[in-house]
Every structure is written in structure tokens, then in C-alpha cells.
Amino acid sequence: MLNSYIQKIKGKLSRANMPDNPPVANLAKVIDHPSEVEFYVEITNESVPKPKKATVSLDLHNRKKVKVHQQVGQLVETAADFYTYAFTIKKEELQLEKKKRNYDLFINVEGKSSRLQLKRDYQEQKVNSFFESNKYMFVLNVSKENEVFLRVGFKDKINAIYDIPNVVHSVNYNGKEILVDGEIHHQFFKGNFPDADYFFAFKKKNGMYLKAPLTIEGNDFNAKINMDLYPMFPKGKWDLSIMVVHENDEYFYPCYVSDLQEKNELCTFQVPRYKDAVLVKVESKKGKLSAKTSLINIMANKIVADFQEKVVELSFEFKQSVFQEIFAGKENDFYFRLRERQSNEFLDVPVTLSNKGGIVFIHTSIELERFHDGSLEWSQKLDAYLSHKLEDSSFYNIRVKLDEEETALELDSQYKTHFLDEYYFGEFYPTMYGNLSFRFAKMPFHRDAHTFYVDHDQLVIEGNALFDIPNSTETCDFNLCLTNRHSEEYFELPLEMVGGDDPENNGFICKVPVMELGKLVSEFKGIIDFFIVLKGEEFYRKVKLGLKEFDYFKDHVLLTLQGEQDQDHVVEYHLTTTPKGNLKLESFLYEKEMYNQIQEFQMKETDEEIWIVGERPDTAQDNGYQFFKFMRDNYPEREVYYAIDPKAKDKERLEDLDHVLDIGSREHIEKCLRATKLIGTHDLEYFLPFKGIKMKNYQKAHKVFLQHGVLGRKNVEYHKKYYKYPFDLFVVSSEHEKKMVVKEFGYLEDEVIVTGLSRFDKLQENHHPKREILLIPTWREWITTENKLMNSLYFHKYIGFLQSEKLQSLLEEHDLKLNFYPHYRMQEFMADNVQFETSRIQLVELGTRTVQDLLKENSVMITDFSSVSFDFTLLGKPVIYYHFDQDVFFANGILRPIEETFLGDVVYTEEDLLIKLEEIIKNGLKERNDVALRKELIFTYIDTNNNERILKRILETPIKRERKQLSGE
């Protein structure tokens, strides 16, 4: 009894001496040994009242808070404020779950535990925070709250392991190359990647990288990244990585500094690029290395632009300290440069430079005739740079920046001139981001419509129009020109001008006889555009007439009118707008009897089940055609019809199928009036015989968007907000694409269906690729003339590649052919002006082969941004993306990250393009393994059941309408 009582008292006293709060502990150091690892932890005195008797353990927990390992520690040192415990863990005793990567470290004192913190002056005995066993690679890491955890990599899962102790000692730039040296964990790589190639890489999350081969001696390495090979070095964050290329797969492993002490900035250097010079800052965070790149600019104290008769005198002032910081050692061979945004071409002008009183003065004169390069359809915008010319004739370009509050500006004067029967102006101006730019454009012409109505069989348009002719007494006639967009036939009517010189009050009125409009209508469907024409003795201007303020809807009508074409025909006109607010008339030519029938049926409802399918009016080769053919082959009892222009070349593809409707025919109109489902790859009105919104059945019909590709690479105008009656179902190919459509286009979750595209079913049939390569680039919208094409980077890059000796020797050596399928805007020029020295390169002319046949027959694709690459990836064939102008192409943004939609090799130089092509050829024309693993980003399904899934969702999904749509608002 007495002993039992004494034990109870001891227990109470022991518990009384225990701390009430969790222990406070900091990791002081880690020592790695071949078979074990030691953790030294400092625990505050208050946390361990009886240090010699207390049980103290180091516990590993997975992220589900389950304890996976416990190690009891030994007291090794006593100090005034803390006790130091050593925890020795035998590496073979660490048996961890392969699916778990992160393990939190806890200190447990007599049952009370807390997260282990990292000591502020933590020091390691080894060169880094790694240790490893036969099975695992461990890295010590710290959370934002300074809590210690271990990240674990499993050595038998090469594609999943991430952290490896690769160390960088220095990064420098010698004016041409980025020089890197360090230590590679070579034993690991040699054991897992025999016969691999090793590179050092600066890599962005979007997949872009700059690289150079490693020279390895023992565990030491060095690399030299030649920046001449990389025309772009975009701003943002770059990871510094060891890149391993093994069996046609690429692996990237981060690099670290030699310890975990924070280093804010290891080095900074500047790299000249074709456009803007780039500032590179190499930094470490928690030991891991990265680089941040940004564009360099120079702030001006004062800018003066003085326009004279033939030149503009341009002067700048900069603080000498600011100037020296950027241009130290580069004071000679300076230029003022203007870069044209669309073409990326530079205009170079020498400058004079002087110093006085801590200020750098720069002056230059620009001949204004240098801007007179033919007639300008669009305004020409040029960005201003102060540039130093390098020995190799390249330039170090620094953007000129200003602060409107701090910089003294004298940019009010303008250059005004007349040539090629036009008036132009030029001016320097600050952009919205405070950069200096130059604008050269046609003199502004204020012209806007604000009122339109029908009065006594006349379309009446009222608005404002004003043009100020500089330095001239010339007067102009103002006319309204109506033009058939297809035939280009037109007629003009005079504008009656009212009001004064104020553009807000300088009004016009024009009355267009509806009967006169019939002169421009010759086909069933047409579009008439509105232009204001100014004519003078030395001047001619023709510009579109539009609305200053408008809400754009693709299926909306501002005004409807109709007129007799002849005694048997009626034309119905609908006044609508383009996306930019320009006015247009959409015309429909009907037989009178049919027109009357349409009016009678306009607001009626039908119980019939009629489906109309279509694409663009002149095509039958995409998802619409494939879905229609699927329905006729498998469900012939259903009333499913395909609508196509009777003059379309593709109509012959439909000859063996019934239920084909000629757009504009009596049968087409009758079926569309009763249609309950409208299914298309583009806007549905492409194949309708009337303006949909005017018809009750269109308002209530089930509308399905089959799409014509996979979305994500560039913006398209299929947002829900652009329709009064949007699509009820929006077809996509993956969950990732669905998320983007919901987020960016405004559709609801249940309106976006993940089924895959209709054409994917047939794409996989009879797939027998030849030893041929398909080169199929997209177009550049800023190339509008043959002269611009000839002088474009786009043209020179592709012609240079096609004419390279290396390409020709590759084709010859490996018995391959290359099929070049230019964009249709480039076709005629290529056929007439470009010859290839080898028969192994063939120009595929438009219409001679279908795109789907080319996709099936070729084994490798080279493109830049074309969405046909998705079909190629679906077929399991390699794609190389040649992104020599990525920054310009994506200037207006990208819907999804590059790494989600460009599955394959992305290259930026001709040299890398040829290297990748040779690698693929030597690998048997096979797709990279990692691409196959990432296809779920593009395709949720890879099978031949896409049409079945689409049909199932069409039949199952109820039609939803908002209240305003149900009421016909």
C-alpha cells in the first residue's frame, strides 16, 4: 500500500513539473554519414524540466498527420537557455510510402509535441541540405512559417524525383555567353541515366528554355549558353536546372547554392536582345536557384520634339548617374532607334552625345520622308530606344521611359504631310505605361452614325463627320458608299452636311432608297458594308462607318427592312454591326411566295424533330461533316440534314449521302423553319437561310457548338456574352479545356461537355504514315502585302529552314520527304517565286490534298502555333513547335499556359529545330514518352467514340433559357 501511495505521489509531482505548453525546438545542424543521419535539435529549458530523465523524440508525420517514424534522442549539451539533443536515424530504417513526398518533423517531449523550427543561424556540416539512402533522396525544406519538413524522392521513380543535390558555384556573362560552373550529383545520374546527354538550362514554367551542353569532370561541371542562338529571353522567372535527355525524354532537376543561408542576389548582368535588352538577376530562395528577367529602360529628365518641314529635331536629357548605371563602358557608337511594332523592323538614326553638370545631352535629327513607305492602311506605331551598337553589328536596346510628372515634355508639335492622295500626321507621345513612342498615321477622320430608321421606303442614317485638311484650302465631297463585300459592286450617295466644325455637332444625314439596295444583291445571302468617302482634287479617303457606342451581339439586329427585287423576289435586310461596331447590312434574297411563308411561320412553334448540321457555308470536311455522316450511317431514321453552299467544292464529298440541303433552296428554308436542333462548328447563321433571332424556332432550338479545334492558344470570339441566344452545349476535348471555357467564355459547367471532337473518330481510321514530314505554319495577321511578306522575319525563317543544307542532307541521309503546306495567303506567292533544289521537298498546293489526309500520311509535324497539331498528337506522332516570334504572336495574350497545349518540342532557333528533327528521326520517328503521359491535358478520351458521346449529351441535356430569352426580349 505504502509503495503504491508513494508511486502516485511521484506521478503527481512528475506531472506537476511537466510544461503546460508544447515544446519549443529549433534544428541546429544535420550531419550526414554513409549509413545514418544525425539531427541536432535545441529545445528551450522550459520545454524539458528534467532533461536527463525526459523522453524526447523526433517524429516524422505524413501530410495526413500519421506518424511514420519515431527516433528517441540523446542529451548531448546543456546551455543556459536550451538543451541540445542528438537524434541518430539509421537510413535503412526509413521505410516511407511511395505516394507521399513531404514529411513534417515534430519534437515530442513526454507526449507533448510541436513542429520543429529552423534555427536562425542554422549551419550544416555538408555542402547542402540533402542526404540519401539506397532508396530515397531527402532534402531539408522550410515552410513560410519556418517549420522544417523533408521532401522525399524515390530513386526508382525517375520521372517523379525532383530534388537532387546539384550545386552552382557561379553564374557570369561575358557579353556573348552565360557561363555557369558547379557540381553535379553524377553518381545518381550515371546510375539512372546511362548514355544520357546533359545540359544546363534556364527554364520557364511554360516549357521554354535556353540550354548548353555540360562539360563534366568528376562531379564538377561547366556550361556556356551562347545567347546568339536565342533571339528571345522573355521577362519572368526562370529555374536554373540540370537538363537530362535520355531515350528521347527530357528531365529537369533544380540547382542549389552550397548551403541554406538566404542569398538575396548572386549576380546581375545585362543581355542584349533583338528588341529590348534584358536585365538578369540570379537569386536563391531556400537554397534553390532561379533567375528573374526584366526589360531595361532609361528614365529621361527632358524630351523635346521639334517638327520642321523635312526633319524632326529630337533632344533628350538624362541624369549622368542613371545613364552610367546602364551604359557604363558603352559611350561610343550610339543610335536612336524606332521599332515598328507589327513588323519588328528598326529605323536607325545616329546621335550626338555630350555631358555637362551631371546631365547627359543627346540630340538627333530624323528625316521625315523615312516614314513615307507607301500608303498606310493602319496607323504605324514605333517604340523608341536609345541603343549602343556592338562589335558584331547587333544592338543593345534600352527603352526610353518618361514620368509625366517628373519629365519635362515638349511633344505638342506634329508633322503633317500630303502624299499618294492622302494626308498623314506624325507625333511622339507617351504610352499608357510611360514609354516614348512615335505614331505615323492618316489624319483623323471623325465619322460615326448615331441614328437609323426607315422613312417612306428609305433607310435614313444620321451621324457626325468631320475631316480637318491641314495647311490647305481644298474642300471635299462627303459621300456614303455601299459595297457588296463579295462582288465589290457599289454605289454612292451624297451626304447632306449639317452643323459646324465641332465633331460633336458637325452632322450629316443620308437617305438610302431601299429599292436601290437591290442593285447590290445578286445571291441568296450577302453583306453590304457602309463607307464614308471623301473626295478632293488631291485627296481620297474611304473609311467604314460605325457606331461610337454599341453593344456587340453576333445574333442581334438593329433594324429590319425589306424591298422588292423584282415581281417575283423580295430582299430582306438586317442592319447589324461588326465586332468593332462598323455597320453592315445582311441581305437574304427570297422568292415572294417563300418569303410570305417565312413571315407566317416567324413566331410559330413546331413539334417536329429536325436537326440541321453545318460548318462554314462552303466546307464539308470538319466536325460538322463527320457528325452528319455519323448520324446518316448509324441513325438514318432521324431527320438530320447538312446545309452547304451549292457552289462549294466540298459538296462533292456529300454526293453519296442523302439529306443534303443547298443553302437558299426551298427545301433548306422549309427545314430550317421547323428545325429543333442547330449544330455547327462556327456561328450557326453561316448555314441558316434567315436571321435567326427573328424566328421563334431559332430562339427555342437546341444549339450545339461542335467546334473546329481545341481552344487555348489564342483568343476566339465564342464568348457567351456575344450572343442573345448562346449555345446550349459547347463541345470540348478535355477537363482542362472545359475549365478554361467556363472561366473565360462565361458558360456554365453543365453547358460545356467533355466528349472529344467529331473528326477524331475518322482521323484514327486507316492511319498508315509514310516517311514524310509535314511543315504547316500558321499565318501572321500583320503581314498584309507581298512586300511585307518578303521582308518579314516569318518568311526568312521558313525559307531559311527549307533551303538549309543541313535539312537537305537529313532528308537524303534518312530517305525522307518534306511536305510544305503554306497558309493560303502565302500559297500563290510561294508557287510563283520559290524553288527548292531537291525533289525531297514538295510544295502542297491548296485543294490538292485535304488537311486530314496530310495528318494521316505524315510521320512528323513542324508548325509554330497551328491547332492541327492537336490532331497529330492524338495520333501519337511527334510535333516540333518553331516559336521564333512567340512574344509577338502572343502579344494579345494566351488562354491557357503554353505547357498545357504545346505537347512536344518547343524550339526558338533554326539550329535547335534541326537538332530536334534529327533526334526524332534517329529515334524512329516516335513520340516522346513524356508527351504520351501528358495527353490528358488535351484529350480526356483517346478512342473512336467521340460522336457517340456528343449524341448522348445532345439527347440527354435539357434546354435552358433565361427569362429574357423566353419572353423574346
Side-chain angles (χ1 to χ4, degrees), residues 505 674 713 727 744 833 888:
N505 300 314
R674 292 165 172 77
R713 289 185 180 166
F727 297 106
E744 301 291 341
N833 295 280
V888 179

Side-chain angles (χ1 to χ4, degrees), residues 517-642:
L517 290 171
K519 297 177 181 178
L520 303 178
V521 178
S522 57
E523 296 184 319
F524 171 65
K525 293 177 76 170
I527 293 177
I528 298 171
D529 291 310
F530 293 80
F531 295 87
I532 297 269
V533 177
L534 284 76
K535 294 180 181 178
E537 291 183 8
E538 298 180 344
F539 173 66
Y540 180 85
R541 175 76 69 88
K542 180 179 179 182
V543 290
K544 287 189 174 181
L545 175 65
L547 305 178
K548 196 171 185 178
E549 296 180 359
F550 65 98
D551 293 319
Y552 173 63
F553 295 99
K554 291 188 175 188
D555 53 359
H556 183 48
V557 171
L558 301 174
L559 185 70
T560 297
L561 53 153
Q562 60 94 10
E564 290 189 359
Q565 181 79 344
D566 53 43
Q567 61 181 7
D568 298 319
H569 294 86
V570 173
V571 184
E572 186 170 78
Y573 305 93
H574 302 284
L575 187 66
T576 62
T577 68
T578 68
K580 293 183 178 180
N582 295 320
L583 289 176
K584 62 177 180 176
L585 274 176
E586 299 179 42
S587 64
F588 294 84
L589 177 62
Y590 302 103
E591 294 177 0
K592 275 189 179 180
E593 181 187 346
M594 181 54 65
Y595 183 70
N596 293 333
Q597 185 179 337
I598 292 173
Q599 304 314 300
E600 292 175 9
F601 212 89
Q602 194 171 19
M603 288 295 115
K604 289 184 179 180
E605 298 184 17
T606 177
D607 294 327
E608 298 177 68
E609 187 66 15
I610 296 175
W611 300 11
I612 309 294
V613 183
E615 299 173 356
R616 291 187 184 273
D618 59 345
T619 64
Q621 55 180 273
D622 200 359
N623 294 310
Y625 167 74
Q626 295 294 349
F627 181 73
F628 171 68
K629 193 172 186 307
F630 163 79
M631 293 299 297
R632 297 311 300 146
D633 291 344
N634 297 279
Y635 302 92
E637 72 281 1
R638 288 192 175 272
E639 272 205 83
V640 181
Y641 296 87
Y642 192 90

Side-chain angles (χ1 to χ4, degrees), residues 634-693:
N634 297 279
Y635 302 92
E637 72 281 1
R638 288 192 175 272
E639 272 205 83
V640 181
Y641 296 87
Y642 192 90
I644 189 169
D645 187 325
K647 299 177 182 178
K649 291 182 179 179
D650 277 358
K651 190 182 177 186
E652 60 188 45
R653 294 168 57 83
L654 299 159
E655 287 180 352
D656 297 333
L657 296 169
D658 59 355
H659 285 206
V660 177
L661 303 173
D662 288 345
I663 292 177
S665 67
R666 178 177 289 271
E667 185 184 16
H668 176 233
I669 295 171
E670 289 176 345
K671 295 299 181 185
C672 286
L673 283 172
R674 292 165 172 77
T676 51
K677 296 194 191 302
L678 300 171
I679 304 168
T681 59
H682 295 73
D683 286 321
L684 301 174
E685 291 190 353
Y686 271 124
F687 58 82
L688 289 180
F690 41 68
K691 196 65 183 173
I693 199 170

Side-chain angles (χ1 to χ4, degrees), residues 27-43:
L27 180 63
K29 63 182 176 181
V30 177
I31 301 178
D32 183 22
H33 302 288
S35 61
E36 58 190 25
V37 59
E38 293 179 287
F39 289 81
Y40 286 81
V41 179
E42 296 176 356
I43 309 175

